[in-house]
Amino acid sequence: MSASLDSGPRRPPQTTLRHQLAELRGPASVPRPLDARALAALAANPGCRRRAILDGAGVDKTALAAKLGAPSGFGQSQFAIARGNAFEAKVKADGGRELLGLLGIEEPTAVDLPELAAAGPEGRAARTALALREATAAGRWALLDHPMLALEVAGSPVYLEPDAVVVHPDGRWTVVEIKSFPMVDGAADAAKVGAAARQAAVYVLALERVAAVTDGARVAHSVLLVCPRDFSNLPTASAVDVRKQLSVTRRQLTRLTRIEEIAEALPEGTTFDVVGCSAEQLAAAVESVPHAYAPECLAACELAFHCRERARAADVVESLGRSVRGELGGLTTIGAVLAAARGEEGDPDDPAVDALRRAQALRGEALEAAGCR
């Protein structure tokens, strides 16, 4: 009950939002929690309201895409997951001896291993925050295995679980990312390292919230990336600076439209209940939420094939890539672009139209020369 006379009894806004998201997900569907990888992908495409509401409601996008008739091969194979789990278990075996050795600590007994078990993600996040404060106050090394961190995204809480966090005696906190791709001659695949850095930046952002209320604590902006050395199963490590990724992620997450605003704009009765709805009903529900498809979505979102099909059907230039869309200015469809290039439409003074017509002329000259030869 509220103490204010004019407010009356009112359900807390967060409770109302959770109830609404549960209705969107469906009564028989278990919510799929967001992880750092999904959050990094969401931050990379903040204009996609479709992904924001589906992730916020915990909808199983893999099952949704399959029922829509556009299944995606996005995600790790079971073999890759098993290999990654086996490598992580080896790195953390015997009290994390090999991991601590990569940090220059020869004696594991000098490192505290706090217990982080608690009921539910909220309890685990609170227990992790307490363990971080205690370890910082003690001024000793501490290794937190799979801590739980909390971060608010678009008005909804998200719980994240990094591989490990190391507390240094000077109060510095370092995120540890353990990956199964190899590091050959001290270097790993740049694309995979970049993806790991974006994922780790989300963890750093969540840790900064705890460090802000912990005396003497600071979060390192270099994460420890642990990978197999060459083609063996022996671990090696490299420090990866994530300041650039952290800045981009922080800026993009603040730009995300709040989930309650997206939910309020949905038509009455909209639901993404994969179990209880037909494919036609789900397609209508999905189409009621604007999307921001780009080819980069194919490597980051389970609904990418469905959104690509719709983008191509709508003839929008976004299907060619964000960089192309940025160069074309007011030309929003592929048909308009082709017409402008042929000189049938478009303002000749428009730099984009002028560039298209020059490109069309050069193409014609090249084809004519090739035909002559």
Side-chain angles (χ1 to χ4, degrees):
M1 296 290 290
S2 171
S4 174
L5 296 176
D6 59 348
S7 63
R10 184 178 301 172
R11 177 181 294 178
Q14 188 62 34
T15 303
T16 303
L17 177 60
R18 289 182 179 179
H19 178 71
Q20 188 174 10
L21 294 179
E23 290 181 339
L24 289 174
R25 185 174 59 248
S29 301
V30 178
R32 294 291 296 266
L34 271 174
D35 57 14
R37 181 176 300 180
L39 200 55
L42 184 61
N45 191 7
C48 187
R49 292 190 164 205
R50 181 175 297 174
R51 171 150 195 168
I53 191 65
L54 291 175
D55 283 344
V59 176
D60 186 345
K61 297 196 299 297
T62 300
L64 178 60
K67 197 155 185 179
L68 290 173
S72 172
F74 170 74
Q76 288 183 296
S77 67
Q78 292 300 316
F79 173 75
I81 292 173
R83 182 181 60 189
N85 291 339
F87 179 68
E88 181 179 343
K90 172 180 171 55
V91 172
K92 293 180 178 179
D94 194 17
R97 180 179 291 273
E98 292 198 58
L99 174 57
L100 296 174
L102 296 173
L103 291 165
I105 305 171
E106 300 297 335
E107 185 50 57
T109 57
V111 180
D112 295 330
L113 302 173
E115 177 58 49
L116 302 178
E122 294 181 2
R124 289 187 57 200
R127 182 67 188 90
T128 295
L130 178 61
L132 287 167
R133 287 193 291 268
E134 291 176 344
T136 303
R140 285 171 48 85
W141 286 99
L143 174 62
L144 280 66
D145 184 10
H146 282 290
M148 183 67 72
L149 306 173
L151 187 66
E152 184 175 298
V153 179
S156 181
V158 175
Y159 295 97
L160 310 168
E161 189 176 3
D163 294 328
V165 171
V166 175
V167 178
H168 299 249
D170 61 358
R172 185 162 37 101
W173 301 348
T174 299
V175 172
V176 178
E177 271 292 280
I178 302 175
K179 298 296 184 182
S180 60
F181 55 81
M183 194 174 292
V184 182
D185 293 333
D189 181 88
K192 293 180 179 179
V193 172
R198 288 189 294 272
Q199 182 177 339
V202 178
Y203 298 138
V204 172
L205 192 61
L207 268 180
E208 286 184 340
R209 296 183 66 219
V210 185
V213 294
T214 304
D215 292 337
R218 58 189 178 91
V219 183
H221 290 165
S222 291
V223 303
L224 188 69
L225 179 63
V226 180
C227 299
R229 180 187 305 163
D230 298 328
F231 298 101
S232 69
N233 202 33
L234 299 175
T236 186
S238 176
V240 179
D241 191 333
V242 297
R243 283 178 294 182
K244 178 180 178 181
Q245 292 83 356
L246 182 63
S247 175
V248 171
T249 301
R250 182 184 288 111
R251 182 174 66 252
Q252 298 292 60
L253 289 181
T254 57
R255 290 175 55 194
L256 284 173
T257 304
R258 296 182 65 84
I259 291 177
E260 55 262 40
E261 295 178 12
I262 303 175
E264 288 173 1
L266 294 176
E268 186 72 24
T270 299
T271 179
F272 306 104
D273 186 357
V274 179
V275 177
C277 293
S278 65
E280 292 75 16
Q281 291 172 320
L282 288 173
V286 168
E287 290 306 308
S288 69
V289 190
H291 68 94
Y293 171 78
E296 295 85 351
C297 296
L298 294 172
C301 183
E302 296 87 341
L303 282 178
F305 288 159
H306 174 82
C307 296
R308 181 180 66 177
E309 180 183 340
R310 294 298 188 271
R312 288 176 173 176
D315 200 36
V316 294
V317 296
E318 283 84 355
S319 61
L320 302 177
R322 296 191 185 98
S323 60
V324 176
R325 175 67 189 91
E327 293 291 337
L328 292 174
L331 301 173
T332 58
T333 66
I334 296 176
V337 171
L338 295 177
R342 292 191 296 263
E344 299 170 359
E345 295 181 9
D347 183 358
D349 296 329
D350 186 335
V353 174
D354 180 59
L356 286 169
R357 292 180 179 176
R358 285 189 287 110
Q360 175 73 1
L362 291 173
R363 177 179 180 273
E365 293 175 5
L367 292 175
E368 184 179 354
C372 291
R373 287 196 296 270

